[in-house]
Amino acid sequence: MYELNKAAEAQIENEIAIYRNSAFAGDPNRNGANIALALIAILIIKINPLVKGVMSIILFYFGMLTVSKMFYLIAGIIVIFFSISILLTKKTAIEKIFYIIIVGIFMSILSTTNLFQNQIDNFLTRFEKTQGYVEDTRRTSLQLDYLNYMAEKSQILVFGRGFLTDFHPTTNVAHNTFLQLLFGLGIIGGLVYLITLYRIIKTKKIPIHGTGNKIKASLPILSIFLSLNALDYLSIDAFYFFLILIVVIRIYLSTPQRPYKMPNELRTV
């Protein structure tokens, strides 16, 4: 565990080194995407509120250690969307006010203390070094190189070069799963692949009732979609696990859940 959780070193313009936790994923950005999805799942399931709170804070902390801009973006979306879903679900006014207070306290602690100061400083350093660009690894120009290569090779554009091919037009991967899919399977194969995945996760027979639950069900899809636009996930096993998790979450949200009740043993403590 210690060896696997050693931080990954990211060089920026050969001037500084920022240490980013990569964990089991082997990459800090994929690690951040995995943690974000785990955080969404923990927030959705109904368990002991104290356990949920502790686990959420732990996941958020390790997510911050990745210094991944994608995780920071998804974490912000999680807070906003989940807060809206809570306000729209059938909860008492006291429960909703309590949730707002808890979120407010956490955000105040986050902004007024040094709890995540090192991670925030590293994030700002990465952003500053790239002069405010959206990407810090020249991903836009890299993806344009892929598109230009396929435009010149019409056969590859239509039919692809091969599923999970090791060949890259440049010295780096595309950092975009959809572009990776187009490059590997072409327009024809890519459409067949996407239609197949859509039919898998569509789950039309799993109705989700209530605006709040629908927002919660959209969170893992949105999180995965953002991750696919920034990382190459097609050859990663976790990608297919993500698809299964989307279906499982939809099934969970479509099933009436009883409010959490503290066990009698704990009530007497």
Side-chain angles (χ1 to χ4, degrees), residues 35-45 47-64 71 75 78-79 82 99 102-103 106 115-116:
I35 292 173
L37 200 58
L39 181 59
I40 291 171
I42 288 296
L43 289 172
I44 287 176
I45 63 175
I47 56 175
N48 185 310
L50 179 60
V51 174
K52 177 181 288 193
V54 171
M55 293 182 69
S56 298
I57 292 173
I58 291 173
L59 285 170
F60 184 80
Y61 172 74
F62 280 103
M64 293 289 287
F71 174 81
I78 290 172
V79 172
F82 195 79
Y99 174 80
I102 292 297
V103 172
F106 180 75
L115 183 61
F116 298 113

PDB file of all heavy atoms in Angstrom, residues 35-45 47-64 71 75 78-79 82 99 102-103 106 115-116:
ATOM      1  N   ILE A  35     -11.749   8.651  -7.612  1.00  0.00           N
ATOM      2  CA  ILE A  35     -12.176   9.151  -6.313  1.00  0.00           C
ATOM      3  C   ILE A  35     -13.470   9.956  -6.442  1.00  0.00           C
ATOM      4  O   ILE A  35     -14.370   9.852  -5.597  1.00  0.00           O
ATOM      5  CB  ILE A  35     -11.069  10.006  -5.673  1.00  0.00           C
ATOM      6  CG1 ILE A  35      -9.873   9.116  -5.294  1.00  0.00           C
ATOM      7  CG2 ILE A  35     -11.576  10.740  -4.427  1.00  0.00           C
ATOM      8  CD1 ILE A  35      -8.668   9.894  -4.800  1.00  0.00           C
ATOM      9  N   ALA A  36     -13.574  10.748  -7.490  1.00  0.00           N
ATOM     10  CA  ALA A  36     -14.782  11.553  -7.701  1.00  0.00           C
ATOM     11  C   ALA A  36     -16.012  10.658  -7.837  1.00  0.00           C
ATOM     12  O   ALA A  36     -17.070  10.944  -7.261  1.00  0.00           O
ATOM     13  CB  ALA A  36     -14.624  12.425  -8.945  1.00  0.00           C
ATOM     14  N   LEU A  37     -15.870   9.560  -8.574  1.00  0.00           N
ATOM     15  CA  LEU A  37     -16.999   8.656  -8.752  1.00  0.00           C
ATOM     16  C   LEU A  37     -17.335   7.945  -7.439  1.00  0.00           C
ATOM     17  O   LEU A  37     -18.515   7.738  -7.123  1.00  0.00           O
ATOM     18  CB  LEU A  37     -16.679   7.639  -9.842  1.00  0.00           C
ATOM     19  CG  LEU A  37     -17.877   6.928 -10.476  1.00  0.00           C
ATOM     20  CD1 LEU A  37     -18.847   7.937 -11.077  1.00  0.00           C
ATOM     21  CD2 LEU A  37     -17.421   5.953 -11.541  1.00  0.00           C
ATOM     22  N   ALA A  38     -16.315   7.571  -6.680  1.00  0.00           N
ATOM     23  CA  ALA A  38     -16.552   6.955  -5.374  1.00  0.00           C
ATOM     24  C   ALA A  38     -17.257   7.930  -4.436  1.00  0.00           C
ATOM     25  O   ALA A  38     -18.153   7.549  -3.675  1.00  0.00           O
ATOM     26  CB  ALA A  38     -15.220   6.499  -4.766  1.00  0.00           C
ATOM     27  N   LEU A  39     -16.863   9.193  -4.498  1.00  0.00           N
ATOM     28  CA  LEU A  39     -17.481  10.220  -3.665  1.00  0.00           C
ATOM     29  C   LEU A  39     -18.963  10.382  -4.012  1.00  0.00           C
ATOM     30  O   LEU A  39     -19.809  10.503  -3.116  1.00  0.00           O
ATOM     31  CB  LEU A  39     -16.740  11.540  -3.854  1.00  0.00           C
ATOM     32  CG  LEU A  39     -17.234  12.748  -3.033  1.00  0.00           C
ATOM     33  CD1 LEU A  39     -17.172  12.448  -1.541  1.00  0.00           C
ATOM     34  CD2 LEU A  39     -16.399  13.980  -3.366  1.00  0.00           C
ATOM     35  N   ILE A  40     -19.284  10.360  -5.294  1.00  0.00           N
ATOM     36  CA  ILE A  40     -20.679  10.455  -5.727  1.00  0.00           C
ATOM     37  C   ILE A  40     -21.483   9.273  -5.191  1.00  0.00           C
ATOM     38  O   ILE A  40     -22.593   9.440  -4.670  1.00  0.00           O
ATOM     39  CB  ILE A  40     -20.761  10.504  -7.263  1.00  0.00           C
ATOM     40  CG1 ILE A  40     -20.203  11.834  -7.780  1.00  0.00           C
ATOM     41  CG2 ILE A  40     -22.194  10.324  -7.737  1.00  0.00           C
ATOM     42  CD1 ILE A  40     -20.037  11.885  -9.284  1.00  0.00           C
ATOM     43  N   ALA A  41     -20.931   8.068  -5.305  1.00  0.00           N
ATOM     44  CA  ALA A  41     -21.632   6.868  -4.839  1.00  0.00           C
ATOM     45  C   ALA A  41     -21.889   6.924  -3.334  1.00  0.00           C
ATOM     46  O   ALA A  41     -22.978   6.574  -2.861  1.00  0.00           O
ATOM     47  CB  ALA A  41     -20.827   5.620  -5.205  1.00  0.00           C
ATOM     48  N   ILE A  42     -20.892   7.367  -2.572  1.00  0.00           N
ATOM     49  CA  ILE A  42     -21.038   7.462  -1.110  1.00  0.00           C
ATOM     50  C   ILE A  42     -22.120   8.469  -0.739  1.00  0.00           C
ATOM     51  O   ILE A  42     -22.914   8.252   0.186  1.00  0.00           O
ATOM     52  CB  ILE A  42     -19.694   7.859  -0.453  1.00  0.00           C
ATOM     53  CG1 ILE A  42     -18.711   6.688  -0.518  1.00  0.00           C
ATOM     54  CG2 ILE A  42     -19.892   8.295   0.991  1.00  0.00           C
ATOM     55  CD1 ILE A  42     -19.154   5.468   0.276  1.00  0.00           C
ATOM     56  N   LEU A  43     -22.185   9.577  -1.457  1.00  0.00           N
ATOM     57  CA  LEU A  43     -23.181  10.603  -1.157  1.00  0.00           C
ATOM     58  C   LEU A  43     -24.598  10.138  -1.508  1.00  0.00           C
ATOM     59  O   LEU A  43     -25.572  10.574  -0.893  1.00  0.00           O
ATOM     60  CB  LEU A  43     -22.860  11.890  -1.926  1.00  0.00           C
ATOM     61  CG  LEU A  43     -21.640  12.667  -1.439  1.00  0.00           C
ATOM     62  CD1 LEU A  43     -21.320  13.815  -2.398  1.00  0.00           C
ATOM     63  CD2 LEU A  43     -21.861  13.209  -0.028  1.00  0.00           C
ATOM     64  N   ILE A  44     -24.721   9.244  -2.486  1.00  0.00           N
ATOM     65  CA  ILE A  44     -26.039   8.803  -2.928  1.00  0.00           C
ATOM     66  C   ILE A  44     -26.634   7.738  -2.016  1.00  0.00           C
ATOM     67  O   ILE A  44     -27.816   7.797  -1.669  1.00  0.00           O
ATOM     68  CB  ILE A  44     -25.965   8.283  -4.382  1.00  0.00           C
ATOM     69  CG1 ILE A  44     -25.784   9.463  -5.349  1.00  0.00           C
ATOM     70  CG2 ILE A  44     -27.227   7.500  -4.752  1.00  0.00           C
ATOM     71  CD1 ILE A  44     -25.609   9.054  -6.795  1.00  0.00           C
ATOM     72  N   ILE A  45     -25.833   6.761  -1.603  1.00  0.00           N
ATOM     73  CA  ILE A  45     -26.385   5.664  -0.815  1.00  0.00           C
ATOM     74  C   ILE A  45     -26.789   6.146   0.570  1.00  0.00           C
ATOM     75  O   ILE A  45     -26.234   7.101   1.105  1.00  0.00           O
ATOM     76  CB  ILE A  45     -25.381   4.491  -0.692  1.00  0.00           C
ATOM     77  CG1 ILE A  45     -24.117   4.929   0.062  1.00  0.00           C
ATOM     78  CG2 ILE A  45     -25.038   3.930  -2.048  1.00  0.00           C
ATOM     79  CD1 ILE A  45     -23.163   3.786   0.322  1.00  0.00           C
ATOM     80  N   ILE A  47     -26.719   5.581   4.257  1.00  0.00           N
ATOM     81  CA  ILE A  47     -26.034   4.917   5.358  1.00  0.00           C
ATOM     82  C   ILE A  47     -26.002   5.879   6.534  1.00  0.00           C
ATOM     83  O   ILE A  47     -26.534   6.989   6.465  1.00  0.00           O
ATOM     84  CB  ILE A  47     -24.602   4.494   4.963  1.00  0.00           C
ATOM     85  CG1 ILE A  47     -23.808   5.718   4.471  1.00  0.00           C
ATOM     86  CG2 ILE A  47     -24.626   3.412   3.903  1.00  0.00           C
ATOM     87  CD1 ILE A  47     -22.352   5.411   4.164  1.00  0.00           C
ATOM     88  N   ASN A  48     -25.385   5.460   7.612  1.00  0.00           N
ATOM     89  CA  ASN A  48     -25.236   6.312   8.787  1.00  0.00           C
ATOM     90  C   ASN A  48     -24.660   7.668   8.367  1.00  0.00           C
ATOM     91  O   ASN A  48     -23.589   7.725   7.743  1.00  0.00           O
ATOM     92  CB  ASN A  48     -24.296   5.631   9.788  1.00  0.00           C
ATOM     93  CG  ASN A  48     -24.193   6.399  11.083  1.00  0.00           C
ATOM     94  OD1 ASN A  48     -23.957   7.605  11.093  1.00  0.00           O
ATOM     95  ND2 ASN A  48     -24.373   5.687  12.187  1.00  0.00           N
ATOM     96  N   PRO A  49     -25.347   8.778   8.668  1.00  0.00           N
ATOM     97  CA  PRO A  49     -24.876  10.108   8.246  1.00  0.00           C
ATOM     98  C   PRO A  49     -23.461  10.412   8.715  1.00  0.00           C
ATOM     99  O   PRO A  49     -22.692  11.061   7.993  1.00  0.00           O
ATOM    100  CB  PRO A  49     -25.885  11.061   8.895  1.00  0.00           C
ATOM    101  CG  PRO A  49     -27.118  10.236   9.063  1.00  0.00           C
ATOM    102  CD  PRO A  49     -26.638   8.858   9.372  1.00  0.00           C
ATOM    103  N   LEU A  50     -23.107   9.940   9.924  1.00  0.00           N
ATOM    104  CA  LEU A  50     -21.763  10.188  10.435  1.00  0.00           C
ATOM    105  C   LEU A  50     -20.728   9.450   9.602  1.00  0.00           C
ATOM    106  O   LEU A  50     -19.689  10.010   9.234  1.00  0.00           O
ATOM    107  CB  LEU A  50     -21.669   9.755  11.900  1.00  0.00           C
ATOM    108  CG  LEU A  50     -20.306   9.934  12.570  1.00  0.00           C
ATOM    109  CD1 LEU A  50     -19.883  11.404  12.546  1.00  0.00           C
ATOM    110  CD2 LEU A  50     -20.325   9.392  13.997  1.00  0.00           C
ATOM    111  N   VAL A  51     -21.022   8.182   9.285  1.00  0.00           N
ATOM    112  CA  VAL A  51     -20.120   7.380   8.450  1.00  0.00           C
ATOM    113  C   VAL A  51     -19.998   8.010   7.069  1.00  0.00           C
ATOM    114  O   VAL A  51     -18.898   8.124   6.512  1.00  0.00           O
ATOM    115  CB  VAL A  51     -20.637   5.928   8.333  1.00  0.00           C
ATOM    116  CG1 VAL A  51     -19.789   5.135   7.341  1.00  0.00           C
ATOM    117  CG2 VAL A  51     -20.629   5.253   9.693  1.00  0.00           C
ATOM    118  N   LYS A  52     -21.120   8.435   6.516  1.00  0.00           N
ATOM    119  CA  LYS A  52     -21.111   9.068   5.199  1.00  0.00           C
ATOM    120  C   LYS A  52     -20.262  10.329   5.208  1.00  0.00           C
ATOM    121  O   LYS A  52     -19.466  10.573   4.283  1.00  0.00           O
ATOM    122  CB  LYS A  52     -22.533   9.418   4.757  1.00  0.00           C
ATOM    123  CG  LYS A  52     -22.601  10.155   3.431  1.00  0.00           C
ATOM    124  CD  LYS A  52     -24.023  10.498   3.039  1.00  0.00           C
ATOM    125  CE  LYS A  52     -24.796   9.284   2.621  1.00  0.00           C
ATOM    126  NZ  LYS A  52     -26.072   9.636   1.956  1.00  0.00           N
ATOM    127  N   GLY A  53     -20.420  11.147   6.266  1.00  0.00           N
ATOM    128  CA  GLY A  53     -19.657  12.382   6.367  1.00  0.00           C
ATOM    129  C   GLY A  53     -18.159  12.129   6.460  1.00  0.00           C
ATOM    130  O   GLY A  53     -17.358  12.775   5.775  1.00  0.00           O
ATOM    131  N   VAL A  54     -17.770  11.168   7.298  1.00  0.00           N
ATOM    132  CA  VAL A  54     -16.351  10.849   7.479  1.00  0.00           C
ATOM    133  C   VAL A  54     -15.753  10.312   6.187  1.00  0.00           C
ATOM    134  O   VAL A  54     -14.665  10.731   5.757  1.00  0.00           O
ATOM    135  CB  VAL A  54     -16.166   9.828   8.626  1.00  0.00           C
ATOM    136  CG1 VAL A  54     -14.721   9.336   8.676  1.00  0.00           C
ATOM    137  CG2 VAL A  54     -16.548  10.456   9.961  1.00  0.00           C
ATOM    138  N   MET A  55     -16.458   9.382   5.541  1.00  0.00           N
ATOM    139  CA  MET A  55     -15.952   8.796   4.296  1.00  0.00           C
ATOM    140  C   MET A  55     -15.851   9.846   3.195  1.00  0.00           C
ATOM    141  O   MET A  55     -14.908   9.834   2.397  1.00  0.00           O
ATOM    142  CB  MET A  55     -16.854   7.642   3.857  1.00  0.00           C
ATOM    143  CG  MET A  55     -16.813   6.441   4.777  1.00  0.00           C
ATOM    144  SD  MET A  55     -17.840   5.065   4.199  1.00  0.00           S
ATOM    145  CE  MET A  55     -16.929   4.540   2.761  1.00  0.00           C
ATOM    146  N   SER A  56     -16.819  10.757   3.140  1.00  0.00           N
ATOM    147  CA  SER A  56     -16.800  11.812   2.123  1.00  0.00           C
ATOM    148  C   SER A  56     -15.598  12.727   2.313  1.00  0.00           C
ATOM    149  O   SER A  56     -14.924  13.104   1.351  1.00  0.00           O
ATOM    150  CB  SER A  56     -18.099  12.626   2.180  1.00  0.00           C
ATOM    151  OG  SER A  56     -19.217  11.816   1.900  1.00  0.00           O
ATOM    152  N   ILE A  57     -15.317  13.088   3.566  1.00  0.00           N
ATOM    153  CA  ILE A  57     -14.179  13.957   3.858  1.00  0.00           C
ATOM    154  C   ILE A  57     -12.864  13.273   3.501  1.00  0.00           C
ATOM    155  O   ILE A  57     -11.958  13.884   2.922  1.00  0.00           O
ATOM    156  CB  ILE A  57     -14.188  14.376   5.342  1.00  0.00           C
ATOM    157  CG1 ILE A  57     -15.375  15.311   5.609  1.00  0.00           C
ATOM    158  CG2 ILE A  57     -12.878  15.063   5.729  1.00  0.00           C
ATOM    159  CD1 ILE A  57     -15.574  15.636   7.065  1.00  0.00           C
ATOM    160  N   ILE A  58     -12.769  11.970   3.820  1.00  0.00           N
ATOM    161  CA  ILE A  58     -11.554  11.213   3.501  1.00  0.00           C
ATOM    162  C   ILE A  58     -11.347  11.153   1.983  1.00  0.00           C
ATOM    163  O   ILE A  58     -10.235  11.393   1.480  1.00  0.00           O
ATOM    164  CB  ILE A  58     -11.634   9.788   4.080  1.00  0.00           C
ATOM    165  CG1 ILE A  58     -11.555   9.846   5.615  1.00  0.00           C
ATOM    166  CG2 ILE A  58     -10.503   8.915   3.532  1.00  0.00           C
ATOM    167  CD1 ILE A  58     -11.785   8.508   6.282  1.00  0.00           C
ATOM    168  N   LEU A  59     -12.414  10.840   1.250  1.00  0.00           N
ATOM    169  CA  LEU A  59     -12.311  10.779  -0.206  1.00  0.00           C
ATOM    170  C   LEU A  59     -11.955  12.145  -0.789  1.00  0.00           C
ATOM    171  O   LEU A  59     -11.126  12.248  -1.701  1.00  0.00           O
ATOM    172  CB  LEU A  59     -13.635  10.283  -0.804  1.00  0.00           C
ATOM    173  CG  LEU A  59     -13.924   8.791  -0.652  1.00  0.00           C
ATOM    174  CD1 LEU A  59     -15.349   8.476  -1.066  1.00  0.00           C
ATOM    175  CD2 LEU A  59     -12.937   7.966  -1.465  1.00  0.00           C
ATOM    176  N   PHE A  60     -12.584  13.194  -0.252  1.00  0.00           N
ATOM    177  CA  PHE A  60     -12.291  14.539  -0.725  1.00  0.00           C
ATOM    178  C   PHE A  60     -10.832  14.897  -0.473  1.00  0.00           C
ATOM    179  O   PHE A  60     -10.158  15.494  -1.324  1.00  0.00           O
ATOM    180  CB  PHE A  60     -13.205  15.544  -0.021  1.00  0.00           C
ATOM    181  CG  PHE A  60     -13.057  16.956  -0.514  1.00  0.00           C
ATOM    182  CD1 PHE A  60     -13.668  17.365  -1.684  1.00  0.00           C
ATOM    183  CD2 PHE A  60     -12.291  17.874   0.186  1.00  0.00           C
ATOM    184  CE1 PHE A  60     -13.517  18.667  -2.145  1.00  0.00           C
ATOM    185  CE2 PHE A  60     -12.139  19.168  -0.260  1.00  0.00           C
ATOM    186  CZ  PHE A  60     -12.756  19.571  -1.432  1.00  0.00           C
ATOM    187  N   TYR A  61     -10.320  14.494   0.690  1.00  0.00           N
ATOM    188  CA  TYR A  61      -8.927  14.794   1.034  1.00  0.00           C
ATOM    189  C   TYR A  61      -7.962  14.122   0.057  1.00  0.00           C
ATOM    190  O   TYR A  61      -7.047  14.756  -0.475  1.00  0.00           O
ATOM    191  CB  TYR A  61      -8.633  14.333   2.456  1.00  0.00           C
ATOM    192  CG  TYR A  61      -7.176  14.424   2.829  1.00  0.00           C
ATOM    193  CD1 TYR A  61      -6.581  15.655   3.080  1.00  0.00           C
ATOM    194  CD2 TYR A  61      -6.383  13.280   2.916  1.00  0.00           C
ATOM    195  CE1 TYR A  61      -5.241  15.751   3.408  1.00  0.00           C
ATOM    196  CE2 TYR A  61      -5.037  13.368   3.245  1.00  0.00           C
ATOM    197  CZ  TYR A  61      -4.481  14.612   3.491  1.00  0.00           C
ATOM    198  OH  TYR A  61      -3.156  14.693   3.801  1.00  0.00           O
ATOM    199  N   PHE A  62      -8.198  12.824  -0.216  1.00  0.00           N
ATOM    200  CA  PHE A  62      -7.310  12.115  -1.137  1.00  0.00           C
ATOM    201  C   PHE A  62      -7.485  12.619  -2.566  1.00  0.00           C
ATOM    202  O   PHE A  62      -6.546  12.588  -3.361  1.00  0.00           O
ATOM    203  CB  PHE A  62      -7.545  10.608  -1.064  1.00  0.00           C
ATOM    204  CG  PHE A  62      -6.863   9.954   0.105  1.00  0.00           C
ATOM    205  CD1 PHE A  62      -7.583   9.585   1.221  1.00  0.00           C
ATOM    206  CD2 PHE A  62      -5.499   9.747   0.098  1.00  0.00           C
ATOM    207  CE1 PHE A  62      -6.956   8.996   2.304  1.00  0.00           C
ATOM    208  CE2 PHE A  62      -4.851   9.157   1.179  1.00  0.00           C
ATOM    209  CZ  PHE A  62      -5.586   8.787   2.296  1.00  0.00           C
ATOM    210  N   GLY A  63      -8.687  13.090  -2.886  1.00  0.00           N
ATOM    211  CA  GLY A  63      -8.892  13.704  -4.189  1.00  0.00           C
ATOM    212  C   GLY A  63      -8.084  14.979  -4.333  1.00  0.00           C
ATOM    213  O   GLY A  63      -7.499  15.246  -5.384  1.00  0.00           O
ATOM    214  N   MET A  64      -8.027  15.766  -3.265  1.00  0.00           N
ATOM    215  CA  MET A  64      -7.233  16.994  -3.284  1.00  0.00           C
ATOM    216  C   MET A  64      -5.756  16.683  -3.472  1.00  0.00           C
ATOM    217  O   MET A  64      -5.015  17.451  -4.105  1.00  0.00           O
ATOM    218  CB  MET A  64      -7.441  17.772  -1.989  1.00  0.00           C
ATOM    219  CG  MET A  64      -8.835  18.344  -1.802  1.00  0.00           C
ATOM    220  SD  MET A  64      -9.194  19.713  -2.918  1.00  0.00           S
ATOM    221  CE  MET A  64      -8.201  21.024  -2.201  1.00  0.00           C
ATOM    222  N   PHE A  71     -10.483  16.766 -11.096  1.00  0.00           N
ATOM    223  CA  PHE A  71     -11.139  16.424  -9.826  1.00  0.00           C
ATOM    224  C   PHE A  71     -11.706  17.670  -9.164  1.00  0.00           C
ATOM    225  O   PHE A  71     -12.828  17.642  -8.648  1.00  0.00           O
ATOM    226  CB  PHE A  71     -10.161  15.744  -8.859  1.00  0.00           C
ATOM    227  CG  PHE A  71     -10.764  15.517  -7.494  1.00  0.00           C
ATOM    228  CD1 PHE A  71     -11.599  14.429  -7.268  1.00  0.00           C
ATOM    229  CD2 PHE A  71     -10.528  16.409  -6.455  1.00  0.00           C
ATOM    230  CE1 PHE A  71     -12.185  14.233  -6.016  1.00  0.00           C
ATOM    231  CE2 PHE A  71     -11.107  16.218  -5.209  1.00  0.00           C
ATOM    232  CZ  PHE A  71     -11.934  15.123  -4.996  1.00  0.00           C
ATOM    233  N   ALA A  75     -15.510  17.989  -8.280  1.00  0.00           N
ATOM    234  CA  ALA A  75     -15.875  18.185  -6.871  1.00  0.00           C
ATOM    235  C   ALA A  75     -16.787  19.392  -6.711  1.00  0.00           C
ATOM    236  O   ALA A  75     -17.765  19.361  -5.945  1.00  0.00           O
ATOM    237  CB  ALA A  75     -14.617  18.350  -6.024  1.00  0.00           C
ATOM    238  N   ILE A  78     -20.169  18.413  -7.961  1.00  0.00           N
ATOM    239  CA  ILE A  78     -20.822  17.526  -6.996  1.00  0.00           C
ATOM    240  C   ILE A  78     -21.499  18.341  -5.893  1.00  0.00           C
ATOM    241  O   ILE A  78     -22.662  18.102  -5.548  1.00  0.00           O
ATOM    242  CB  ILE A  78     -19.807  16.542  -6.388  1.00  0.00           C
ATOM    243  CG1 ILE A  78     -19.347  15.521  -7.430  1.00  0.00           C
ATOM    244  CG2 ILE A  78     -20.421  15.813  -5.184  1.00  0.00           C
ATOM    245  CD1 ILE A  78     -18.215  14.632  -6.964  1.00  0.00           C
ATOM    246  N   VAL A  79     -20.771  19.299  -5.341  1.00  0.00           N
ATOM    247  CA  VAL A  79     -21.325  20.115  -4.250  1.00  0.00           C
ATOM    248  C   VAL A  79     -22.572  20.859  -4.724  1.00  0.00           C
ATOM    249  O   VAL A  79     -23.610  20.870  -4.041  1.00  0.00           O
ATOM    250  CB  VAL A  79     -20.268  21.112  -3.728  1.00  0.00           C
ATOM    251  CG1 VAL A  79     -20.903  22.094  -2.736  1.00  0.00           C
ATOM    252  CG2 VAL A  79     -19.119  20.368  -3.064  1.00  0.00           C
ATOM    253  N   PHE A  82     -25.472  18.206  -5.897  1.00  0.00           N
ATOM    254  CA  PHE A  82     -25.991  17.426  -4.771  1.00  0.00           C
ATOM    255  C   PHE A  82     -26.777  18.319  -3.825  1.00  0.00           C
ATOM    256  O   PHE A  82     -27.791  17.897  -3.259  1.00  0.00           O
ATOM    257  CB  PHE A  82     -24.856  16.728  -4.037  1.00  0.00           C
ATOM    258  CG  PHE A  82     -25.323  15.638  -3.113  1.00  0.00           C
ATOM    259  CD1 PHE A  82     -25.678  14.393  -3.614  1.00  0.00           C
ATOM    260  CD2 PHE A  82     -25.436  15.846  -1.755  1.00  0.00           C
ATOM    261  CE1 PHE A  82     -26.126  13.381  -2.778  1.00  0.00           C
ATOM    262  CE2 PHE A  82     -25.878  14.853  -0.903  1.00  0.00           C
ATOM    263  CZ  PHE A  82     -26.225  13.609  -1.421  1.00  0.00           C
ATOM    264  N   TYR A  99     -28.354  20.508   6.421  1.00  0.00           N
ATOM    265  CA  TYR A  99     -27.408  20.191   5.345  1.00  0.00           C
ATOM    266  C   TYR A  99     -26.715  21.456   4.862  1.00  0.00           C
ATOM    267  O   TYR A  99     -25.493  21.469   4.662  1.00  0.00           O
ATOM    268  CB  TYR A  99     -28.140  19.512   4.185  1.00  0.00           C
ATOM    269  CG  TYR A  99     -27.254  19.285   2.982  1.00  0.00           C
ATOM    270  CD1 TYR A  99     -26.377  18.213   2.935  1.00  0.00           C
ATOM    271  CD2 TYR A  99     -27.283  20.161   1.901  1.00  0.00           C
ATOM    272  CE1 TYR A  99     -25.551  18.006   1.849  1.00  0.00           C
ATOM    273  CE2 TYR A  99     -26.462  19.967   0.809  1.00  0.00           C
ATOM    274  CZ  TYR A  99     -25.603  18.894   0.788  1.00  0.00           C
ATOM    275  OH  TYR A  99     -24.778  18.705  -0.281  1.00  0.00           O
ATOM    276  N   ILE A 102     -24.105  22.520   7.351  1.00  0.00           N
ATOM    277  CA  ILE A 102     -22.926  21.641   7.313  1.00  0.00           C
ATOM    278  C   ILE A 102     -22.038  21.993   6.124  1.00  0.00           C
ATOM    279  O   ILE A 102     -20.805  22.116   6.251  1.00  0.00           O
ATOM    280  CB  ILE A 102     -23.347  20.158   7.244  1.00  0.00           C
ATOM    281  CG1 ILE A 102     -24.011  19.728   8.551  1.00  0.00           C
ATOM    282  CG2 ILE A 102     -22.132  19.285   6.948  1.00  0.00           C
ATOM    283  CD1 ILE A 102     -23.103  19.800   9.756  1.00  0.00           C
ATOM    284  N   VAL A 103     -22.656  22.173   4.949  1.00  0.00           N
ATOM    285  CA  VAL A 103     -21.888  22.534   3.748  1.00  0.00           C
ATOM    286  C   VAL A 103     -21.228  23.889   3.942  1.00  0.00           C
ATOM    287  O   VAL A 103     -20.056  24.089   3.578  1.00  0.00           O
ATOM    288  CB  VAL A 103     -22.800  22.547   2.503  1.00  0.00           C
ATOM    289  CG1 VAL A 103     -22.054  23.120   1.301  1.00  0.00           C
ATOM    290  CG2 VAL A 103     -23.292  21.147   2.192  1.00  0.00           C
ATOM    291  N   PHE A 106     -18.227  23.540   6.264  1.00  0.00           N
ATOM    292  CA  PHE A 106     -17.116  22.873   5.580  1.00  0.00           C
ATOM    293  C   PHE A 106     -16.426  23.819   4.606  1.00  0.00           C
ATOM    294  O   PHE A 106     -15.186  23.879   4.556  1.00  0.00           O
ATOM    295  CB  PHE A 106     -17.625  21.633   4.846  1.00  0.00           C
ATOM    296  CG  PHE A 106     -16.549  20.883   4.113  1.00  0.00           C
ATOM    297  CD1 PHE A 106     -15.634  20.101   4.799  1.00  0.00           C
ATOM    298  CD2 PHE A 106     -16.446  20.969   2.735  1.00  0.00           C
ATOM    299  CE1 PHE A 106     -14.635  19.416   4.129  1.00  0.00           C
ATOM    300  CE2 PHE A 106     -15.456  20.291   2.044  1.00  0.00           C
ATOM    301  CZ  PHE A 106     -14.553  19.508   2.751  1.00  0.00           C
ATOM    302  N   LEU A 115      -5.979  23.719   5.800  1.00  0.00           N
ATOM    303  CA  LEU A 115      -6.210  22.282   5.708  1.00  0.00           C
ATOM    304  C   LEU A 115      -5.718  21.701   4.388  1.00  0.00           C
ATOM    305  O   LEU A 115      -5.074  20.663   4.350  1.00  0.00           O
ATOM    306  CB  LEU A 115      -7.712  21.996   5.884  1.00  0.00           C
ATOM    307  CG  LEU A 115      -8.129  20.530   5.896  1.00  0.00           C
ATOM    308  CD1 LEU A 115      -7.462  19.805   7.062  1.00  0.00           C
ATOM    309  CD2 LEU A 115      -9.650  20.407   5.999  1.00  0.00           C
ATOM    310  N   PHE A 116      -6.023  22.387   3.278  1.00  0.00           N
ATOM    311  CA  PHE A 116      -5.599  21.929   1.954  1.00  0.00           C
ATOM    312  C   PHE A 116      -4.706  22.966   1.277  1.00  0.00           C
ATOM    313  O   PHE A 116      -4.677  23.050   0.047  1.00  0.00           O
ATOM    314  CB  PHE A 116      -6.822  21.653   1.069  1.00  0.00           C
ATOM    315  CG  PHE A 116      -7.729  20.576   1.594  1.00  0.00           C
ATOM    316  CD1 PHE A 116      -9.003  20.877   2.032  1.00  0.00           C
ATOM    317  CD2 PHE A 116      -7.302  19.267   1.662  1.00  0.00           C
ATOM    318  CE1 PHE A 116      -9.850  19.888   2.507  1.00  0.00           C
ATOM    319  CE2 PHE A 116      -8.127  18.273   2.131  1.00  0.00           C
ATOM    320  CZ  PHE A 116      -9.410  18.583   2.566  1.00  0.00           C
TER     321      PHE A 116
END
